[in-house]
Amino acid sequence: MAKRLSSVDDLNKFREAAQSKLAERAKKIEVKVHLGTCGIAGGAKFVQDAFVKEVKSLKLTNVVITEAACIGPCEREPVVTVVHPQMGRVIYAEVTPEQVPNIVEQHLIKGQVVKEWLLDLESPTFKLQNIRIMHNQDMDPQSIEEYIARDGYQGLAKAVTKMQPQEVIDEITKAGLRGRGGAGFPTGTKWSFVRRAVGDEKFVVCNGDEGDPGAYMNRAVLEGNPHSIIEGMAIGAYAIGNVRRGYAYIRAEYPLAIQTFNNALAQARQLGLLGKNILGTNFEFDLSVFPGAGAFVCGEETALLASIEGKRGNPRQRPPFPANKGLLDKPTTLNNVETWSNVPQIIHNGAAWFASAGSERCKGTKTFCLVGKVNNSGLIEVPLSTPLGQIVFDIGGGIPDGKKFKAVQIGGPSGGCIPIGHLNTPVDYEAVTALGAIMGSGGLIVMDENNCMVDVAKFFLQFTRDESCGKCTPCRAGIPKMLEILTKITQGKGSMEDLAVLSELAEMVGSASLCGLGQTAPNPVLSTLRHFRDEYEAHIIDKHCPAAVCQPLFRAPCQHTCPVELDCPGYVALIKEGKYAEAYKLIRQRLPFPMSVGRVCDHPCEVKCRRAQVDESISIRDLKRMAADYAYEHGVEFVPPMKPRKPERVAIIGAGPAGLTAAYELAREGYNVTVFEALPVAGGMMAVAIPEYRLPKKVLKAEIDSILKLGVELKLNTRVNDVDSLFKEGYKAVFISCGAHKGDKMGIPGENVEGVYDAIDFLRELSLGKKPKVGKRVAVVGGGNSAIDAARSAVRQGAEEVHILYRRERRDMPAIDEEIEAAENEGIHIDCLVAPTKVLSENGKVTGLECVRMELKGFDSSGRRTPSPLSGPEYTYPLTVDTVIEAIGQRPDTSFMKDGVKVAKGGTITADPRTLATDKPGVFAGGDAVTGPKTVIWAVAAGQRAATSIKRYLQGKPLSPFVERDGYEPIAVSQIAPTEEEVKERARIQASEIESKERKSSYKEIVLAFRPNEAREEASRCLRCDLEVGGEE
Amino acid sequence: MSDRKEITLTINGNQVKGKEGDTVLEVCRANNIYVPTLCFLEGLSTIGACRLCVVEIQGERRINPSCTYPARDGLVVTTHTPNLEKYRRLILELIFTERNHFCFFCAASGDCELQSQAYRYQMDHARYPYTFPALPTDTLNDFLVIDHNRCILCGRCVRVCAEVVGDHTLDFSRRGWRTLVVADLNQSLGQSSCISCGACLQACPTGAIFSKVSAYRGRTSEGKITRSACSLCGVGCETDVLVKDNNIVRIDGANLTGLKGQLCLMGRFQQVYNETPRVTTPLIRNKKGNLEPASWEDASKLISDKIKDYKARQGASSIAGLVSSLCPSETLEAFSGFMRNTVGTSYIDTLDGSSYRTIAEGISAFSKNGKGLRIESSLESILDADCVLVVGSNPLESHPVAGCYILRAKTQKKASIIVVDSRPNTFGFRADVWLRPNAGSEEALLGALEGLVAKKTKSAEKSMRFVSVAKAVEATGLGKDTIQKAAAMLSTAKNPVVVYGEGVFTAKNPKLVARVLDLAKLASHDGLKVISLKPKGNSRGAWELGIASQNGMAKAKPSMVYVLMSDDKFEMGDWVAPVDQAEFVVVQASYRSPLTDCADVVLPSPIWAERKGKYVSLDGKVGNSHKVVEPPSGIKDDVEVIAKIAKGI
């Protein structure tokens, strides 16, 4: 049994002994298996056993196997650190027992690190962290020797022998330590309240009742560094005075934490660091663990204290505050695990050291649990006020599977979300609160585009509903009511009045509830209402869940996500059975351009495909093309149902996909439709922007012809100059779908010389058969689809070297991924983080571009990092080119809109997004002209929306947000779910492509349609989500 | 209370006065500023749960419930703002949609605080979806029903049960929206430790807890409330009796959270709905031996004649009078005057006379100073006790409110409880030490306890004769440890109280009483704290009138007996034998009983509610019971009847 340490000298001697013991050990190779709860759950014990067995069987005497706590990368458990006396420290992640012999053989024996299994300690994930609270996580938490060897209990020794209690409090105040439980109350101030409170007996309590879903920072510290908490509490007890007992309230779901903590207590008592006459002084203090039964509300201080008293864990109204009347009505200070854990280091290293991290208002570091839709999920420690975007994208490594980031829920169920527009927010108490969230104890749940924010609010309310103690009415009854309203909304039964009731109720519950639980429980509702009101409105008005999460609103996520709600599961199932003609007809019921869309669609459906959770999404687009091509080749006729002719005439401006779709639908309704097109061809961007190698003209023409066959009048080369004249000519309604054909300018010097093209003009000229002059070296500026199309077309026009200059990173490029890859395959250079600053020219002809290298700085409101030019001559370079194609954006040419239709700043027409009505009666607008450049399927959807609105307008009915697509005969689809064999993991089938040699020299279509057997095989991968019986609701 | 410092607050812009230590709500109430409440009940701890009483306080970031917020000098409070009123209405809407509040068939409709708040806030509809939970209704208790569908979880029942009744049968189970009020560990109320006192019922602001005997019989506004006193057991609880159409609808404690406010199942329920057949007209036994209705004239003349006859033939001592201690003092006085003076007999006793004589002899054996019953302390002294010794009694059955005082001392003052009783006694389950000696060995047990206590506290008086522990162990059959444990509790207590009752009286052993008193004296530090739980509501009143002073009936062999039962229940007792042997028996009683069946003349008598009068509680306090209903026609007041008979003699 160890001897009591009865003076600071004793402690220092003990430290020296422990240090030399560790130094001795450091001469050997140390294999540390990280055995936190997460590690054990990941199988770390088996890994440890495997190491022991292997080392034993190979009789490796220079290897010691030790244990340590969780160091953070929870997603990649089990984690093993190897410290080699010569080679230093490396960390292996996702170690399996099977890998162990290899690591032993390669690393421990041969001295060769197995690189592919290592954690990259040089990555931003680790470099941007600042490890202070977790600085002991790599030592054996069961050993007080190791703690003391690392200067443990030096803070306590300093406090009780060299400092007056008030000095200790002053030091904490000076350091600026704030409560890490979430509220951020200054710890020094709290302690002085308790110190000043009258009472001959006072208590210190550690709040280890960590209950937020997805938060386990405190568990890691309790398991990994228990002595820091014990020491912190002892220092606090000394500073406050009259404290002889403390309690650590640790939830019983943390058995390892309780065991570790109790072990630490026993060791500290044995060494006399707890008990009477600590380190030979008169200071007396002891503490014990109180296991909490796992009620979230017991994280509330008054409830926690009631729980320790053996009562029902209900909070009580303050005042009186625990600082005056706490545990057993005695003055009590209650601090979070992390707060206590900071104390010893502050006393030992001084306030200035602590304040060196963090910001002016918020000093020190903070641990966070970074979880959810993030690549590197786990435990991190960063200085307070680190920008949120840095945490998510640099430390967290961004969003998996290239999905779009949506928001971070911070502060758990009591917190709120911070949306994409606020990624520059410094994560600290004030900044987070200003956005309607709270710091909380440190849970960060990352959410992507596949998270429905109404559903997220529902999830957290379910939690707080069940965890409310039930004492006060607003919390007990208000949370279930809010949840009932949210449920109603997610079922598509909500009304806009519900939103008003909901926000009023949320405000009341937050204001009138008794304790922090109720006061903060509405935060998820209030903050999603604040930042994502559009999603609520989509659920209520459109009966649409944009993230395709709220099951009662749809049959299958693919269909729900498709702007025209194509019955994807239906036609996929028909293709699986070989019923290609039926599949085609089913598609045609909602889409007049199946062949075109089947080729060029950006397929949002595939983004939400649930098959992707098994392996990869279904090739929904290619299957559609297969069915459409099959029908075309086999002469399958689709005759849409037609209604009797009506007398009214409708004018449509622009023969793009939006205009033509509207014409088609209105003609079906029996109206007399005239489409005015300024260009000599119909098809809009489909005809004049998408190159032939993606969409052959023959295909497009066939589809346009089938529309014109319904009696639609098409007037080519006819520019409409004002809308009013159309009404004068007798048209009863007008649909403006003129597209966005005007290219944006870079706005740099020298732009107006020969050889500088606008991508849209360039592509249009190409498709109209004119031959724009392309030199040998071409620079395309921009990262969208037009840029890729222009670049690939330039190659086909004979360019030898084509550079795409993009100012952000490749992953930020808005173009379709497949297209970018195809461009690269064709030898096109993609120069990222570059921006042109000047067009160089000689004799009025382009000779080059002056470019500057860019760096990405803070986040803009779209959540992307803002590119900013690097200053300094070394970052500027000339690029020799003879052709420059600008593809940085398009906007509609609305110069003809001189008669009172409202136009927005960017030139887009202002129309109601649901009904497409402009503020001029009888005038509707849609497609790129309203939204700016978007893909074909969105234009088709706008055309259908416009047709419904115009029909209702002409019939004198109120406009509706719902597109009417009636009159079609149902097509029977198999109701058989996929077999187990079909569900088994297998890759999606790639459509074949033509030889790459052939590509660069011609505009021949590159991607080929699925062959029937390929199509059936691919279709058989569909999980048939549409057959699933809805979830709990 | 008056020595608390006066403070000045600004409430709604006006300067108002309060006392230091008040809450903001208390100051508001004292100054007639209405703040709505639901979970608040004066006298109970405040929990700030319903949030109706929230107010704005200058300098506070949040709104605060006025019921918990300590008032202090200079505080600026606003009780009514559009925002606060909105919150209050929203909270009411929440409560109404949370469970099933359908006023039109609720027993509390018209007497419901929730309903009246809804009227106050003109809650014509609720905008939230109704949850309509299907919650259970607990009907297994004989008197109480808990319908959880109407519960608003204000916790008043829980707090009154814990803080006033001291029983703490009720508490909350589960949490959040699933919270339910439960008895014990989720028993039905009828199978729980509930003593059916009904305090929870009276505390309940809604119809969630209602009384089986009162439900749907009338609202407060439809009847009249009369302040009265319960005369059943001698605790002397003040009651408010609601009467509608000459029927008792409900009996409430006059001050629920004050002293003796909780009442008990006898005082609150058993008297409301009593189906025992009444005597409604005088009856005379005819020649065939059957009782037949007779006129007051005939009956009183017959009695007067018989008295004259026996007096003439056998002397006045051939006539004896017996009277129940349930009668008010006025009746007792009239009866004793009639028997002593008009009839001239000294044979007069109360039905519980032997209990008195046991106590009285015991007291005089203990102390010759002649203080008699006045050496006893008040019932309230139990509330301050840190140790209660209960000898031969189950207070929760005989005097439930006194029993509750003991429970309160246990929970609030951490008092230890010792029960000494040789009979089966369920109060023993609530005791820290339950001493159940062999029958007849109580004296030895008490003697041994005296010895042990004296050893620890002070030298004993010479007159005392202790019993050795060994002897006591032998006599009582109890373990030595148990006896020592009890003695240790008594001797370490700073403020012990001794309570004894019917088990001691029935033993008729004055020495046992003396032992009880000796033990109390040995254990006490500042004055003797002893209370005897006397059998009837006015026992002390009757005894102080001297009615039971002589052991009359034991010596008497009366030929005629006049029993004034009034509304007492027939119980076998010492007095039955002389009645049985008498030639002519007059019974004046409210209810038919075996005694009226064997009487020669039966006279009707009013029940408690039909008469008024004074009662002396078991600790000597005088209470007034009031006439709350008219008796059935033909029933005359006892005093009047006695006077009429006297006139005939």
Side-chain angles (χ1 to χ4, degrees), chain A residues 969-984:
Chain A
E969 275 190 23
I971 294 169
V973 174
S974 147
Q975 299 290 303
I976 301 164
T979 61
E980 232 171 273
E981 193 59 34
E982 284 164 342
V983 174
K984 267 194 193 146

Side-chain angles (χ1 to χ4, degrees), chain A residues 295 312 317 465-469 471-474 476 481 484 501 504 507-508 510-514 519, chain B residues 48-51 62-65 68 87 94-95 97-98 127-129 131 152-153 172 174-178:
Chain A
R312 184 179 160 93
Q317 182 72 40
R465 174 193 65 172
D466 293 340
E467 292 296 337
S468 158
C469 80
K471 184 176 177 177
C472 76
T473 324
R476 182 193 68 234
K481 287 297 159 217
E484 279 175 56
V501 171
E504 187 186 56
E507 197 268 323
M508 185 278 282
S511 302
S513 287
L514 190 154
Q519 287 160 6
Chain B
C50 75
R51 318 303 279 184
R62 304 191 142 269
I63 53 175
N64 270 275
T68 61
Y87 287 172
L94 281 180
I95 294 175
T97 52
E98 183 184 22
R127 291 163 304 158
Y128 309 129
T131 307
I152 61 168
L153 301 172
F172 294 114
R174 312 191 73 173
R175 62 181 181 230
W177 60 293
R178 292 190 176 92

Side-chain angles (χ1 to χ4, degrees), chain B residues 305-319 341-345 649:
Chain B
D305 289 349
K306 280 285 175 187
I307 290 171
K308 283 191 277 187
D309 183 33
Y310 278 109
K311 222 171 139 177
R313 285 198 288 119
Q314 301 180 11
S317 52
S318 65
I319 304 169
N341 305 332
T342 315
V343 179
T345 179
I649 300 171

Side-chain angles (χ1 to χ4, degrees), chain B residues 200-425:
Chain B
C200 52
L201 158 78
Q202 194 179 334
C204 182
T206 70
I209 304 181
F210 62 90
S211 149
K212 287 181 178 175
V213 295
S214 299
Y216 308 109
R217 297 182 64 209
R219 297 174 187 161
T220 307
S221 58
E222 296 167 346
K224 187 176 168 240
I225 289 176
T226 309
R227 177 66 48 94
S228 189
C230 177
S231 55
L232 281 181
C233 76
V235 170
C237 303
E238 252 194 319
T239 57
D240 278 340
V241 185
L242 174 67
V243 173
K244 179 192 168 190
D245 302 336
N246 207 40
N247 283 311
I248 298 173
V249 173
R250 189 177 81 215
I251 301 172
D252 280 336
N255 178 10
L256 176 64
T257 57
L259 292 172
K260 300 170 185 171
Q262 70 259 48
L263 305 188
C264 68
L265 82 167
M266 299 186 283
R268 189 185 290 273
F269 299 119
Q270 283 178 350
Q271 307 184 78
V272 175
Y273 194 73
N274 193 337
E275 284 189 303
T276 319
R278 288 286 296 270
V279 177
T280 52
T281 172
L283 303 166
I284 296 176
R285 196 167 292 280
N286 64 15
K287 281 172 190 148
K288 285 183 194 160
N290 297 330
L291 284 171
E292 65 178 24
S295 71
W296 276 107
E297 290 307 318
D298 292 350
S300 59
K301 183 165 187 305
L302 178 60
I303 296 165
S304 306
D305 289 349
K306 280 285 175 187
I307 290 171
K308 283 191 277 187
D309 183 33
Y310 278 109
K311 222 171 139 177
R313 285 198 288 119
Q314 301 180 11
S317 52
S318 65
I319 304 169
L322 278 165
V323 63
S324 164
S325 307
L326 264 189
C327 295
S329 297
E330 292 87 342
T331 309
L332 290 167
E333 229 167 318
F335 186 73
S336 94
F338 168 72
M339 291 311 283
R340 288 212 165 98
N341 305 332
T342 315
V343 179
T345 179
S346 57
Y347 291 134
I348 175 168
D349 198 359
T350 60
L351 301 183
D352 53 12
S354 73
S355 300
Y356 171 66
R357 291 183 286 275
T358 308
I359 297 171
E361 283 171 39
I363 290 176
S364 40
F366 165 73
S367 150
K368 305 276 184 236
N369 66 8
K371 270 174 123 181
L373 290 174
R374 274 171 295 152
I375 67 164
E376 295 194 354
S377 58
S378 77
L379 266 178
E380 282 71 44
S381 62
I382 297 173
L383 292 174
D384 295 322
D386 57 356
C387 178
V388 183
L389 172 67
V390 181
V391 186
S393 170
N394 182 349
L396 279 178
E397 273 176 15
S398 63
H399 299 72
V401 173
C404 289
Y405 279 14
I406 299 173
L407 298 182
R408 267 169 76 172
K410 184 181 163 78
T411 51
Q412 288 160 14
K413 302 279 174 195
K414 307 268 178 266
S416 44
I417 297 181
I418 306 162
V419 169
V420 175
D421 204 340
S422 56
R423 309 167 307 162
N425 183 346

Side-chain angles (χ1 to χ4, degrees), chain A residues 344-418:
Chain A
Q345 291 194 72
I346 295 175
I347 299 302
H348 182 58
N349 299 329
W353 168 82
F354 181 80
S356 67
S359 62
E360 187 51 41
R361 282 179 312 196
C362 301
K363 298 189 170 83
T365 59
K366 174 86 193 75
T367 56
F368 289 100
C369 273
L370 187 61
V371 296
K373 308 281 182 64
V374 63
N375 278 315
N376 308 325
S377 66
L379 194 58
I380 58 163
E381 182 176 355
V382 290
L384 276 167
S385 300
T386 300
L388 182 62
Q390 201 176 78
I391 293 178
V392 174
F393 289 98
D394 297 334
I395 296 174
I399 315 301
D401 304 325
K403 294 276 192 298
K404 199 169 180 321
F405 169 85
K406 188 182 261 184
V408 168
Q409 176 78 16
I410 174 166
S414 330
C417 57
I418 299 183

Side-chain angles (χ1 to χ4, degrees), chain A residues 840-887:
Chain A
L840 307 171
S841 58
E842 273 170 33
N843 308 323
K845 283 188 181 173
V846 175
T847 56
L849 273 179
E850 186 189 273
C851 298
V852 63
R853 298 250 175 241
M854 310 289 278
E855 63 171 339
L856 294 178
K857 285 198 159 163
F859 297 83
D860 67 10
S861 62
S862 71
R864 293 188 300 176
R865 286 179 188 260
T866 322
S868 117
L870 287 158
S871 61
E874 68 270 35
Y875 297 116
T876 307
Y877 69 100
L879 182 69
T880 313
V881 290
D882 45 23
T883 309
V884 173
I885 303 174
E886 298 171 77

